[in-house]
Amino acid sequence: MNETELMTTPLDFDCPRCQAATSAAFYGPCDDCRRELRATLGTEARDMEAAVYEPKMNVVPNQVATKE
Ligand SMILES: [Zn+2]
């Protein structure tokens, strides 16, 4: 099995959320669960992302470097 087959061959597994048998390229919630998660957590996920990428505004300069 080459790398392309690894990427395209679906895995058969039970959804970790609803335990329904599903098949997808990557292990995770099934399509129904993903849709539900997107609908219920979509806004929250965007807020979390904004927090992660928020620049640190209160970084204290290295005192040794600024000392005269
Ligand atoms: Zn599911």
Side-chain angles (χ1 to χ4, degrees), residues 25-62:
F26 300 102
Y27 179 81
C30 66
D31 286 345
D32 285 345
C33 286
R34 275 209 299 269
R35 214 172 2 252
E36 197 176 318
L37 286 167
R38 254 201 304 274
T40 56
L41 301 176
T43 306
E44 193 175 322
R46 271 196 298 276
D47 287 347
M48 284 173 61
E49 201 171 307
V52 168
Y53 289 111
E54 187 177 357
K56 289 194 171 93
M57 299 300 289
N58 299 321
V59 175
V60 179
N62 188 323

Side-chain angles (χ1 to χ4, degrees), residues 6-40:
L6 275 172
M7 295 299 290
T8 55
T9 304
L11 298 167
D12 291 320
F13 56 88
D14 291 342
C15 170
R17 190 164 179 268
C18 68
Q19 275 74 50
T22 186
S23 175
F26 300 102
Y27 179 81
C30 66
D31 286 345
D32 285 345
C33 286
R34 275 209 299 269
R35 214 172 2 252
E36 197 176 318
L37 286 167
R38 254 201 304 274
T40 56

